[in-house]
Amino acid sequence: IPEKYKHKRSWLRAVLTRIGFKMLQKSVWIGKTELTEDFIKDLTSFNMLSYTEIFSISRTGTLKQII
């Protein structure tokens, strides 16, 4: 998320922390909580979807060792 939108970036970090996500590395977050439809709607309303990649991992592997 560009520097000029740092207030949006701060909002996103706060929400991710509140729902149990942890920062894996700068700008990469990991968590076991399913993201809600309301969260996706908020990303859309803040025009942040173009800066956001969301994916899920359905099998265990080396990431299990990190968590």
Side-chain angles (χ1 to χ4, degrees):
I1 300 171
E3 179 64 24
K4 67 182 180 178
Y5 301 124
K6 64 182 179 180
H7 61 284
K8 292 180 181 182
R9 194 170 54 225
S10 294
W11 168 84
L12 180 58
R13 288 177 178 156
V15 170
L16 291 173
T17 300
R18 189 171 56 241
I19 62 175
F21 278 63
K22 297 192 186 302
M23 188 182 289
L24 183 60
Q25 68 180 46
K26 189 171 184 175
S27 299
V28 177
W29 290 76
I30 189 168
K32 294 182 178 183
T33 305
E34 187 172 327
L35 299 175
T36 65
E37 189 175 319
D38 287 337
F39 176 76
I40 303 302
K41 286 179 183 177
D42 287 343
L43 286 176
T44 302
S45 69
F46 290 142
N47 296 315
M48 295 174 61
L49 280 180
S50 63
Y51 306 114
T52 308
E53 292 288 335
I54 301 170
F55 62 94
S56 71
I57 299 171
S58 59
R59 294 179 358 158
T60 60
T62 56
L63 286 178
K64 185 177 180 184
Q65 297 171 4
I66 296 171
I67 305 177

